[in-house]
Amino acid sequence: MQNDVTSLQGSAARRPTTMKVFLRRKSTVAFFLALPLIILVTALVIYPALFSMYLATLNKSMERFVGLDNFVFLFKRETFWMVVKQSCLFAVTAVLFKAAIGFMLAHFVHTIPAKGQRKWRGMLLIPWVIPPAMSTLGWFWLFDPTYSALNWIFVRIGMDPVNWLGDPFWARFSVILVNVWYGAPFFLIMYLAALKSVPEQLFEAASIDGANWWQKIWYITLPMMRNIISITVLFSLIVTFSNFDIVRILTSGGPVDQTHVFATWAFNLGIQGNDIPLGASVSLFMLPILGIAAIFILRGVNKRGNEA
Amino acid sequence: MALNMKFSRRRLLAGAASASALSLTSPFIRTAHAAGNLSIGFWDHWVPGANDSLTKLCKEWGEKEKVNVKIDYITSQGSKLQLTAVAEAQAKSGHDILQLTSWDAPNQAKNLVPMDDIVNAAIKKNGNTTDVVQYLGKVNGSWIGVPATNGSQVKGPCGRMDLLAKHAGLDVVKMYPGVNGKPDKALQDQWTWDAFLSAAEKCHKGGNPFGLGLGQTTDSVDWVGALFAAYGAVLVDAKGNITVNSDATKQVLEYMQRLVKVIPADVFAWDDASNNKYLISGQGSLIMNPPSAWAVAVRDNLKVAEQCWTFPSPKGPKGRFAPGLPYFWGTWKWSKNISAAKSLLAHLSDRDSIEKMVIGSGGYDIPGYSNLRDFKTWAEVGPPVGVSYNYPPRGEEIVSIAAAPAPVAIAQQIYAQATMTKMIAKCTQGGDSVAKAIGWASSELEGFMRT
């Protein structure tokens, strides 16, 4: 009897406690490893997002709950719809050009022998690694209303100077151009990584079958890169839609609001105009647009993942 | 006798509330007990060295009052000063004293400690405040901030004496001489917005146009605001009625249709640095700006600086309006050292302190009090000596801010959205008719009426 009790006690001591089991689980370890990031994301993303949703439901003096009245008000404003149109034009055009230029550059870099490739990769990444506020200031000097360096060249070669930031068309062109210049290297690096993962044998087989370069791109490269293209476009669309610094530094939304995007107009209304709830409502308007885009794009990615 | 004291929760709260109310409403008495720490957020001055004068004043006061003073100079570039005010108001935490831009003072009124004791005492010593300072600094009859000297400015014309004389035959020094000169009253009376347009046309013809921004930043909005005020063109009146559709507004827009033809085509994209660069480069014959442009010209292009002269704005049918931009010093209700903050603000509102700030800024700063327009700096600073003598508004000049006299909440929207310069852009560069530009503004103004 004594022996039985001792052996029972011994086995209980050897058996791990529930807490130990819990702590040893892979999912628990993963959770604790991710905890610092979860805290950061909660503090810097989730809390501000929820707070801005709360702000968007208040009246101008932030003393009264008004539900969705701020959105109803915005929908009646002509300027708001102009900003919606401009934001879409800005984001879609910029992302298309960034994707196209990034794709071409990735192919160009991919064809360079490995020895010299690093230099080219480094040089082409420069626009992306310079803080955008700083590089945009450089662009501002090129486009400066009165002392534009580009116009100086134009005049010297007999061309008329361009009113880069004062004319609505050229102002929109300028902000999109700077965004493309800044963002194309991101596409380049992502596409280059994707290109390197395409098996070389596929191209060799296609060459034996007599495929030309276009057929290789259309039937091999693009299908193999579809997922990375989708995710890159989605990511860039989100970042471009919420762009602030380029427009703010180059035009501040002018002339006559014709280069405002959601973020700059929200700042203008919320901070400079002291209507924080309305500014929060403008910035939140991006959420459903990007949410819908994300659903469609990620659904495509998942579908292709399952097929694979 | 048994002492029967029973503390209920209600009694405790009532006691605490009375104590708080007493501390907020009791008059400020400068005592030796004003000690501890004091954190301050001041505007980072454009003029090199101007911050040093202010730091010195605060440190001297801190040593005398045994208060540890910590100053942050916050730039207004990228609206950082405004952002700081909004962030501190949201967080209910931050500096004990924060410098507030023109519109932030009334906007934050409910969060600020009333400053009637400090400002009323300063008014007794320094004379009354200007109308624009009262418009922005007094809410429901109470001062919510102390008129700040550092950064407060007006944006009258700064012209090139040589070019204005050569192209337009305008002797600005005869019209508005320095301290020892005798002003030509007849010439001053002729200095109207029509004369301004005529001079602009002549200078354009001569190859040195006026550099007048029509963008969406403060320099553009301020001078256009003074033009509107001079013609009596009020977008929204003091009662909050939309009054933009008036003959006065049409008159201003038609005036601008003529003026836009003789100023650079890219003015719609100008920011607050563009007009300065235009003058300093030697191209422009006149800009509307504080003497900071001249101060930079002294450093970068002395030949231009030597020909600069600052003088009052032209006159319109409703008077001679100086585009003003006053700043304020405010203390949050949650400040931990309100007593010390008030003591320092009282010190900074002394004539001697104000004069030191004006000297430190090379005459850039304009005190908010009417009797403080006689400092030697404005008469002595140069070259040319007397360049800033006529910079502080005196006599018939009315200091105003664009969008006044609309209720502040509406006026700030008009100012921040640059409604006036956009109206001009629409009926000039945009090709719209004057009526269409006014119609557009009416619709915008309706949107600003939200509460």
Side-chain angles (χ1 to χ4, degrees):
Chain A
M1 181 72 183
Q2 177 80 34
N3 283 347
D4 287 350
V5 172
T6 316
S7 88
L8 270 174
Q9 280 173 341
S11 68
R14 281 195 301 275
R15 197 188 311 145
T17 59
T18 318
M19 180 53 87
K20 275 186 182 167
V21 171
F22 172 73
L23 287 173
R24 277 183 197 164
R25 266 191 212 151
K26 271 189 177 174
S27 56
T28 312
V29 175
F31 172 76
F32 279 111
L33 286 173
L35 191 60
L37 189 64
I38 291 170
I39 293 169
L40 270 179
V41 169
T42 307
L44 300 178
V45 181
I46 297 173
Y47 170 71
L50 293 176
F51 189 62
S52 69
M53 281 178 199
Y54 161 73
L55 286 175
T57 61
L58 300 179
N59 71 330
K60 188 180 175 184
S61 53
M62 296 197 284
E63 288 162 336
R64 199 162 31 91
F65 176 78
V66 293
L68 296 176
D69 280 6
N70 288 328
F71 292 96
V72 174
F73 172 81
L74 281 174
F75 292 160
K76 291 180 193 159
R77 309 302 310 158
E78 192 188 323
T79 314
F80 173 72
W81 291 112
M82 190 171 82
V83 171
V84 172
K85 199 179 88 183
Q86 278 157 199
S87 298
C88 294
L89 176 81
F90 174 74
V92 173
T93 316
V95 170
L96 280 178
F97 276 99
K98 280 189 274 192
I101 293 169
F103 190 78
M104 285 188 282
L105 284 176
H107 274 81
F108 162 71
V109 175
H110 189 54
T111 54
I112 296 172
K115 203 180 162 192
Q117 213 181 78
R118 196 183 288 173
K119 273 183 265 173
W120 282 98
R121 277 205 309 257
M123 281 192 289
L124 288 166
L125 276 176
I126 286 174
W128 196 51
V129 295
I130 301 175
M134 223 170 87
S135 53
T136 309
L137 269 178
W139 279 100
F140 180 79
W141 291 328
L142 291 178
F143 294 139
D144 187 287
T146 313
Y147 306 104
S148 160
L150 294 174
N151 281 347
W152 185 83
I153 296 168
F154 285 3
V155 169
R156 258 143 200 83
I157 58 174
M159 285 169 66
D160 286 334
V162 175
N163 193 357
W164 295 104
L165 306 176
D167 178 86
F169 171 80
W170 287 111
R172 284 175 178 164
F173 171 86
S174 303
V175 291
I176 292 171
L177 174 71
V178 177
N179 191 277
V180 170
W181 175 84
Y182 170 69
F186 168 71
F187 282 81
L188 152 75
I189 209 74
M190 296 297 281
Y191 291 169
L192 189 61
L195 268 177
K196 285 186 184 297
S197 67
V198 178
E200 209 43 51
Q201 297 91 321
L202 291 177
F203 292 108
E204 284 164 13
S207 299
I208 292 164
D209 290 344
N212 59 26
W213 70 271
W214 171 247
Q215 286 169 320
K216 284 181 197 168
I217 286 179
W218 192 252
Y219 292 108
I220 301 171
T221 314
L222 280 175
M224 294 297 285
M225 289 174 65
R226 255 161 75 179
N227 278 357
I228 197 78
I229 289 173
S230 302
I231 290 169
T232 316
V233 164
L234 172 66
F235 185 78
S236 179
L237 207 58
I238 292 168
V239 173
T240 313
F241 250 112
S242 55
N243 184 273
F244 175 79
D245 34 23
I246 291 173
V247 174
R248 178 79 190 153
I249 291 170
L250 282 185
T251 63
S252 288
V256 197
D257 297 328
Q258 290 182 80
T259 56
H260 263 312
V261 289
F262 286 123
T264 53
W265 200 51
F267 182 81
N268 192 222
L269 289 176
I271 303 295
Q272 296 182 302
N274 195 44
D275 196 341
I276 291 176
L278 200 63
S281 307
V282 171
S283 63
L284 282 175
F285 190 76
M286 283 184 280
L287 199 66
I289 297 177
L290 296 176
I292 292 165
I295 289 168
F296 276 102
I297 293 171
L298 293 177
R299 204 169 64 174
V301 171
N302 272 342
K303 207 170 140 190
R304 285 190 292 276
N306 292 337
E307 282 165 5
Chain B
M1 192 176 73
L3 192 63
N4 185 14
M5 274 192 73
K6 192 180 171 189
F7 269 105
S8 67
R9 192 165 58 101
R10 188 167 294 179
R11 181 183 278 191
L12 182 73
L13 284 173
S18 317
S20 312
L22 193 70
S23 71
L24 283 176
T25 54
S26 57
F28 168 73
I29 303 161
R30 200 185 287 204
T31 68
H33 303 292
N37 295 313
L38 192 69
S39 65
I40 309 167
F42 280 135
W43 173 66
D44 190 9
H45 213 296
W46 304 129
V47 178
N51 291 345
D52 299 340
S53 311
L54 189 54
T55 304
K56 201 176 163 200
L57 280 167
C58 294
K59 293 284 177 198
E60 282 169 2
W61 169 88
E63 279 161 24
K64 196 175 143 206
E65 299 285 337
K66 311 289 180 220
V67 174
N68 180 32
V69 177
K70 187 182 167 291
I71 304 174
D72 295 319
Y73 284 100
I74 306 164
T75 181
S76 52
Q77 287 274 21
S79 307
K80 195 170 175 226
L81 191 60
Q82 272 186 296
L83 276 167
T84 307
V86 173
E88 292 191 2
Q90 285 292 315
K92 304 234 178 301
S93 160
H95 298 92
D96 294 302
I97 295 174
L98 184 66
Q99 183 142 7
L100 299 160
T101 61
S102 305
W103 301 103
D104 285 341
N107 280 330
Q108 300 295 347
K110 64 180 179 190
N111 296 320
L112 296 169
V113 174
M115 290 288 176
D116 294 298
D117 44 352
I118 306 296
V119 183
N120 289 334
I123 288 171
K124 270 185 195 165
K125 287 186 285 182
N126 304 328
N128 211 352
T129 55
T130 54
D131 288 348
V132 68
V133 169
Q134 286 189 39
Y135 169 69
L136 294 162
K138 236 176 168 179
V139 174
N140 299 327
S142 179
W143 284 99
I144 42 80
V146 176
T149 300
N150 64 324
S152 293
Q153 57 197 273
V154 292
K155 297 178 178 178
C158 177
R160 285 275 301 272
M161 294 181 282
D162 53 347
L163 297 177
L164 288 169
K166 183 180 157 192
H167 300 312
L170 191 63
D171 188 343
V172 287
V173 180
K174 193 176 174 207
M175 187 163 67
Y176 288 103
V179 64
N180 296 320
K182 192 174 172 238
D184 189 322
K185 190 78 179 64
L187 269 182
Q188 288 183 1
D189 288 341
Q190 288 162 25
W191 182 231
T192 61
W193 281 103
D194 285 335
F196 183 88
L197 175 62
S198 165
E201 284 167 344
K202 287 171 185 164
C203 285
H204 172 72
K205 211 172 167 188
N208 296 103
F210 285 9
L212 303 164
L214 286 172
Q216 292 166 40
T217 53
T218 58
D219 280 5
S220 300
V221 174
D222 287 332
W223 84 263
V224 168
L227 170 69
F228 271 67
Y231 278 89
V234 173
L235 271 58
V236 173
D237 68 16
K239 290 178 184 164
N241 302 310
I242 297 174
T243 51
V244 64
N245 194 358
S246 65
D247 288 342
T249 311
K250 283 175 202 152
Q251 211 179 343
V252 171
L253 294 180
E254 281 162 7
Y255 175 93
M256 283 308 301
Q257 285 180 326
R258 291 173 63 196
L259 185 63
V260 160
K261 288 178 187 158
V262 295
I263 55 179
D266 50 16
V267 289
F268 298 99
W270 277 21
D271 63 10
D272 289 345
S274 305
N275 52 353
N276 296 28
K277 284 189 276 185
Y278 198 67
L279 182 84
I280 297 161
S281 70
Q283 267 187 286
S285 49
L286 181 145
I287 62 169
M288 302 281 279
N289 209 65
S292 48
W294 162 80
V296 177
V298 170
R299 188 191 66 195
D300 294 349
N301 195 347
L302 191 60
K303 279 185 183 168
V304 167
E306 284 169 343
Q307 291 297 330
C308 286
W309 198 255
T310 304
F311 48 101
S313 302
K315 191 162 70 170
K318 297 289 174 187
R320 196 183 297 286
F321 285 81
L325 204 60
Y327 282 7
F328 295 88
W329 295 310
T331 295
W332 300 117
K333 279 182 177 164
W334 49 84
S335 159
K336 287 172 190 147
N337 208 345
I338 292 173
S339 168
K342 283 194 165 189
S343 172
L344 175 60
L345 292 180
H347 175 66
L348 293 179
S349 301
D350 285 345
R351 183 188 166 95
D352 284 351
S353 303
I354 290 175
E355 184 165 16
K356 280 174 186 162
M357 280 183 261
V358 173
I359 293 169
S361 70
Y364 177 101
D365 296 337
I366 297 286
Y369 306 96
S370 55
N371 288 357
L372 305 184
R373 301 281 192 265
D374 55 350
F375 297 142
K376 280 183 186 169
T377 310
W378 291 308
E380 290 171 352
V381 80
V385 173
V387 57
S388 295
Y389 177 70
N390 297 291
Y391 167 58
R394 303 184 189 99
E396 62 176 338
E397 266 194 291
I398 306 158
V399 185
S400 74
I401 190 164
V408 166
I410 299 167
Q412 184 184 9
Q413 294 286 338
I414 298 172
Y415 191 95
Q417 300 297 329
T419 309
M420 291 170 178
T421 57
K422 283 180 192 167
M423 282 168 79
I424 294 167
K426 279 192 170 283
C427 69
T428 54
Q429 185 197 38
D432 288 348
S433 65
V434 165
K436 203 172 171 191
I438 292 176
W440 168 85
S442 297
S443 153
E444 286 287 292
L445 295 168
E446 278 166 24
F448 298 162
M449 299 291 159
R450 292 170 22 91
T451 53

